[in-house]
């Protein structure tokens, strides 16, 4: 609104109850609304190529999972850059999920316990990211295996370029899947971080005690409550224990389910990679083997060259102008016939000699295991 | 049953006591029966290619180990898609194990302590999965080693394709074995998750206190009970400590045993892989060495070509029509004889010259270490 | 100042409030001022090539991040070797950040909580190091991808040397980025180390109790305070809990944000590496394939040599001086014509024979899959 | 004994005090004697190829380290398949160690504290396994380095096969050493597991309290005892703390020492592997370099062929029957002499021409860096 | 001293205060003096090639870091095999460090807190080991980079052997540096192990309480003291907390500083390795590229051979003795001139034909991208 607040972006604000709004907020307004420091907002920056991240902060969860960017608070979701076509299915899902009555089917089955608003949205983000990565992986799978098989049967620049492009895509996709997986694993490993993400509960705690000083106490509940109990009223102790802990359970189950899914996706990518590596090894051995066959062929042909060349020597000897008996001009029919016979003797002798020497050479080569 | 409940599947329900039933359940019925959220049921989906998973939930354990899929509750097992022939041995084992009296031999040896129903079934699932993977590994071993040795002695497209298929199978199998191993390791590392899987105990706790609020307290027993003791009656404290903990022990021992087994299987696969890699290195060096032998052969033959060609030059010189003394037509018998001698001198000179030059060249080559 | 204090260096002392000074300190003066042991000062040694390090000590934080070296205490920053041009932007940023009023925009948005002096400086160091590494990575990216593509299309010594230099730079840069990342991860994993870095808070605690014996108690606050509470006044307990913990949170958030950024940088480098490896694999296959094409060409040419050489044999046969009918000098026009015809018959027979044999040989080669 | 108890094996029972016995036990008898579940006995199965394992159970330690298999209880060792010659040194050591008076030299030095029976045996097992692996590693070392050096100097099928066998052995041995190392590391990481292995102590605790309910309490001593103290007599508290903990120390020290040893063995194997990899790289570069030398030789020879063949053309030109001045039959002595001179001019011109062209070609090749 | 005590070695005993002694101790005397079990002494065995190890035991620290071997107790250092020239600088440093007054410069800067004797010695050992490894790494660096560059520019057996030796040294050195680094990391990760190494403190505790039963309590101070406090006098509680903990801090800082240094050394080695790997890749591509150039050369030369050989055929055709018009002996000057012209026509036709065909072939080769 103010001129001074540079880089104000359009945000779609979807509250848990009520109408969604499209507002343009400056960076500082967002910081005030969500209690996030400026550096956390950078995660959502459309220019910077941040990897997938889930940050649980004091009053908000910052989510960047693949294309889905959002700031989730206890009461509303802020989605930046909501005009892109890539976000359309996410937004329509978000709307339909939020508009459905709290007692929807799944919740009923779970004993009518409605998950808090922030987890409904977080699950949706995870679902979309996982589905997106899964579908990309599947389309890569569909393309990669035939391309690799094709390369295996015929090495050509075209096939190589295709495979190279696919590998590049695979590396990129693996990186992104791995990143989401690591993020989930990291959250699952740290109970504190998960507890931090119960925004609704933290809010209600604050409302209860009516004092800001209790704002963070809940977060350490799992450590503190033993001592808390002794100080506070002992009666609410079991209740608190029951209330606080199942929810970590709830988030853990949610994250675990998507962790399993993304792990399966990563597994598929790993298989493509292994297949590609094996194909490369295979091609290398094939090319080497081919090369040796060609060299063998070359050796056999060069042997032939030597032998035939030797034949030329023999024949050329008789072409020398040193006159010997054999070259005397026949003087009568008998001599002519004899001369004819000599000619054929020489010719056939040379030819058969060459062939014999060649066969002998090849036989020797095979015997010495150089030729196969 | 209802029209609206799409995707209802056939389930085989095997209770711990009583007759097994074949029922068709919708997804929501299963969710209500087992208290599982919808996303956990996806793990059992026959279409999705989920990896091996063991999920300990509030009232059920979801198992997907290789072909074996099941939902285990404290009182019954639900097996989907039970018609497949692959599951037949598992089901027959399951029936016989459950029908045997609780005081079977193994339990007796352990001091007559019967393992709870859920662990009996879980062990059966693990046993089947491990046996399946082990037998696949063994059949792979039986095929892989000879195939690699064959490839090592003769590189051919056929052998290469065979090995490539085997490697592909090996990667796939390794992935699945690794997944089961990781799953077991993960469970063994997390006492909470293991404690979570004592369904029967949790159920009996609930029955005791008769209040839902205690439903989860047992799960944190290992942390809480020190403080619990102070609040509760101090007399039951040692008893509780004895009751709660040995059972984590029991599950730990069960999982550990199968972990050792699956680790051994993984080890075998690792050995095949190492052997395959070594064979490939070996083949590469062999092919390179072969190539050099062929090139040496080529060099020797080309040397021969050069020398023999030089012989042609010599011989052809005498075939030139530039008339020199030597080429004079012999005019008497003595000249004819001389001419004859000249002929043989030239011929033998050329031949022996060529042979001498060739031997010299080869000797020089060997001296300079280019030829061996 | 003193002659005896060897190796005194120039330091720029920037206090949180007041004028900056340029002083020359000996090693022992620094040790006295900051309470650092001598070995920690070695980290800042301009001669030694220490990797990036952040050490939280009793009264100071020692920072060496890329080019930025500093000792941060609760009240001032000591920057050694401040004359270098590389540090100029860092120093100007430092001055402007410190001169801005405490209630700057970001702090206001966070609810007017000013971060302590040491974290303002630490963040600045991190920001500069991350920005520096990021920009180096980007310039490497801009150079590496085209260079690799160029190498892929033409292998030459020049291109190879270029790529080799780039890889060397990449390895070096990766090492440095990895090191910063590891340092941040290590800090994030250890709550104690982070707590240790709250210099201002530790100082104020000391001031409060006025006794040196409490100097370290705060550092173990997160563990001790439960018991502390029982001993001390119970009233300040919740307050202390609120005061102490959000700050670990504050540092954690600060480090986490830069961890995400540096992780993204590392990811980019990893992609370059993967791309380089793929390019190398590609080049290897291409060169092998090229080699086989050349060998094929060689085989075809050698085949031609053999065939043509055989043609020479045939032709030379007729050049032999063994006189046969065919070579009789034509005595009349008819014989001359016949002789002419014989000549062409021989010539064309030889030529076509050679061509036919050659085509046959090539056809046989293609049939046997040795030639393509 | 009973017909029904299939697969009874012979066991050597060596008690801590008294005579050793050779008894044939069925599986169930062993299970009853040692309190082990059936699945733990499978670890000792002679047919199954289980890797090295140390399992600390309730009343027994199951050891399978290399060839040494044993079940150790607090009072006796059960060794299966004791007839093999491989176990002979282990058994004789076992006997001598057990027969030596408790106050042997080492114990005395340690302040006369005798290690419990189970650790004496466990140490013996570890000692034998480590010594066995160490000696195998050393014999491999002695064979591998010369074999690799030999392969480096001459690549032959024989040498390659030898190295391949050695590598196969090395992989196998590494796997086994790694397994023992992992097993020890795993135990050292888990205080619970180590505490579990104090069979004698656990037995004496049971004896003390005379109640089965205390059977496991000792195992959790390190966690529980703080609270135990408050309930029990406060006086024995420090004593208990002193009693319980040094023993974990004792086992830790024992395992640590063998861990260091086995780690050193693994290190040696790792060095062999590195050396083998380097040798392979070296051989590959050598073979490639050799190949290029051969190809260079080939290029030079083919150049010679071309040049010499061109010489043939020249010479053959003069062999054509197209009569030119030069070929006129000399009619007098002067012409004969001229003809002679022509002959030598042609001959030498051709020869020197060829040589000149060849040298020029080689010079051009060296200039263009294709030849070296 | 006694005949029975085999393998007595010479030890240099350097006490913290007083004169050093050279004594010959048997193994059992050392065990009695230091309370070490026999297996820990094996670590110092000069024959066995143990890797670097730091073992914190009850009354002594066993150090084997590179060449430096020592047993450190609270009051003296025992150095075996002190005659070697390698240990001379270590020993002289040790003497000068110990002889300097306790209030030396560094300690003064730290607020006059003198580090306990065992840490002074331990730091000296670490310093020497790190300096030794660092200097070895630097000398390797100085040799390796030029050797690799030399190999990159010319592949020869000599250069290859040099690089191979350097790589072997690098692997060995890396292993040793890694081992020291792992040892330090391991210690830093385990507070217990570090606490164990406060020999002086443990000794003074024992002296205080005057009872052996407290010997180990200090080691668990960091866990126990919360509860201890409640039982013991509450007044000494804060004092104890202040006393015990800064010292873990002290050792942690000491180890951390050397960890950073050794990590930097490892980093340098890693860079050499990466550079070597890149050089090898580079050489492989270079050799392959060279090979293709040679093969191209070969193809061009073989093409030339074919063409020139074809030229021979043409020329030889005219050498056939089949008499055609062209070969008629010229009967007058005009015919002789014509014959001369025919000769040159044939000659030049053949030559230019060959050249034309050759150029055409090369052009076709370049067009089809087989030749470059």
């Amino acid at each position: 609104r103010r001129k001074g607040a540079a880089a104000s972006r359009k945000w779609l604000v979807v509250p848990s109850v009520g109408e969604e709004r499209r507002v343009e907020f400056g960076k500082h307004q967002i910081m005030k609304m969500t209690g996030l420091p400026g550096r956390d907002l950078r995660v959502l920056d459309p220019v910077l190529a941040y990897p997938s991240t889930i940050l649980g902060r004091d009053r908000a969860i910052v989510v960047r999972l693949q294309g889905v960017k959002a700031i989730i608070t206890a009461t509303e979701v802020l989605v930046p850059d909501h005009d892109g076509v890539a976000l359309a299915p996410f937004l329509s899902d978000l709307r339909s999920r939020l508009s459905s009555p709290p007692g929807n089917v799944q919740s009923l089955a779970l004993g009518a316990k409605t998950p808090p608003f922030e987890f409904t949205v977080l699950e949706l983000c995870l679902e979309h990211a996982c589905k997106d990565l899964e579908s990309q992986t599947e389309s890569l799978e569909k393309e990669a295996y035939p391309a690799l098989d094709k390369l295996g049967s015929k090495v050509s620049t075209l096939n190589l370029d295709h495979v190279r492009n696919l590998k590049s895509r695979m590396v990129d996709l693996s990186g992104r899947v791995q990143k989401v997986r690591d993020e989930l694993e990291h959250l699952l490993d740290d109970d504190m971080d998960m507890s931090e993400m119960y925004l609704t509960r933290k809010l209600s705690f604050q409302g209860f005690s009516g004092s800001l000083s209790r704002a963070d106490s809940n977060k350490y509940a799992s450590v503190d409550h033993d001592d808390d109990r002794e100080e506070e009223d002992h009666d609410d102790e079991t209740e608190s224990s029951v209330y606080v802990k199942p929810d970590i359970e709830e988030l853990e189950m949610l994250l675990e389910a998507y962790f399993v899914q993304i792990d399966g996706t990563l597994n598929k990518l790993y298989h493509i990679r292994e297949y590609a590596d094996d194909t490369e090894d295979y091609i290398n051995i094939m090319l080497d083997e081919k090369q040796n066959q060609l060299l063998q062929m070359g050796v056999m042909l060069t042997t032939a060259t030597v032998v035939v060349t030797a034949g030329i020597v023999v024949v050329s000897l008789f072409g020398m102008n040193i006159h010997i008996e054999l070259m005397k001009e026949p003087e009568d029919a008998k001599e002519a016939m004899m001369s004819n016979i000599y000619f054929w003797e020489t010719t056939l002798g040379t030819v058969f000699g060459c062939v014999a020497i060649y066969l002998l050479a090849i036989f020797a080569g095979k015997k010495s295991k150089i030729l196969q």
Side-chain angles (χ1 to χ4, degrees), chain A residues 352-363:
Chain A
F352 287 123
C354 285
V355 170
I357 291 168
Y358 181 73
L359 292 179
L360 218 79
I362 296 301
F363 179 75

Side-chain angles (χ1 to χ4, degrees), chain A residues 47 103 229 235 259 346 354:
Chain A
V47 179
R229 279 185 266 181
D235 293 340
F259 178 76
T346 316
C354 285

Side-chain angles (χ1 to χ4, degrees), chain A residues 124-191:
Chain A
L124 202 65
C125 295
L126 281 168
E127 207 181 301
H128 266 265
C130 289
K131 209 190 291 170
D132 183 18
L133 291 170
E134 177 72 26
S135 77
Q136 282 189 48
T137 301
E138 270 167 10
S139 87
L140 183 65
E141 258 184 335
K142 249 171 234 151
E143 218 176 322
Y145 287 117
L148 285 166
D149 286 340
K150 213 169 152 192
L151 183 64
S153 65
K154 171 150 180 50
V155 178
S156 73
T157 315
L158 198 78
N159 289 345
L160 265 175
D161 275 333
H162 190 193
V163 166
R164 206 183 164 206
N165 279 338
L166 287 172
K167 276 185 84 174
S168 195
R169 262 173 65 192
M170 190 190 63
V171 168
D172 185 62
L173 192 55
S174 298
R176 280 184 286 138
V177 172
Q178 180 79 49
K179 189 68 207 160
V180 174
R181 189 188 169 280
D182 286 357
E183 202 65 27
L184 290 178
E185 194 175 33
H186 186 83
L187 277 177
L188 283 168
D189 282 354
D190 194 338
D191 286 353

Side-chain angles (χ1 to χ4, degrees), chain A residues 192-227:
Chain A
M192 284 301 176
D193 281 5
M194 280 197 283
S195 164
E196 183 77 9
M197 292 166 81
Y198 281 83
L199 304 176
T200 305
R201 194 171 62 196
K202 288 199 287 187
L203 205 69
S204 67
F205 257 93
Q206 285 180 359
F208 252 130
S209 48
S211 105
L212 203 79
S213 66
R214 286 298 308 262
D216 297 277
S217 69
N218 139 67
K219 161 175 54 185
Y220 304 95
S222 53
V223 167
D224 286 354
H225 76 282
D226 297 350
D227 306 280

Side-chain angles (χ1 to χ4, degrees), chain A residues 36 40 43-44 50-57 60-66 68 70 72 118-119 121-123 125-127 129-130 179-188 193-194 196-197 251 254-255 258:
Chain A
L36 292 171
D40 285 345
V43 168
L44 300 180
Y50 266 84
S52 291
T53 317
I54 301 173
L55 295 171
R57 295 311 190 200
I61 302 172
V62 182
V63 176
R64 178 173 192 150
L65 286 165
Q66 284 289 92
V68 179
I72 309 171
E118 64 267 26
F119 292 162
V121 180
L122 181 62
E123 178 166 13
C125 295
L126 281 168
E127 207 181 301
C130 289
K179 189 68 207 160
V180 174
R181 189 188 169 280
D182 286 357
E183 202 65 27
L184 290 178
E185 194 175 33
H186 186 83
L187 277 177
L188 283 168
D193 281 5
M194 280 197 283
E196 183 77 9
M197 292 166 81
L251 181 54
L254 192 156
L255 295 176
Y258 288 101

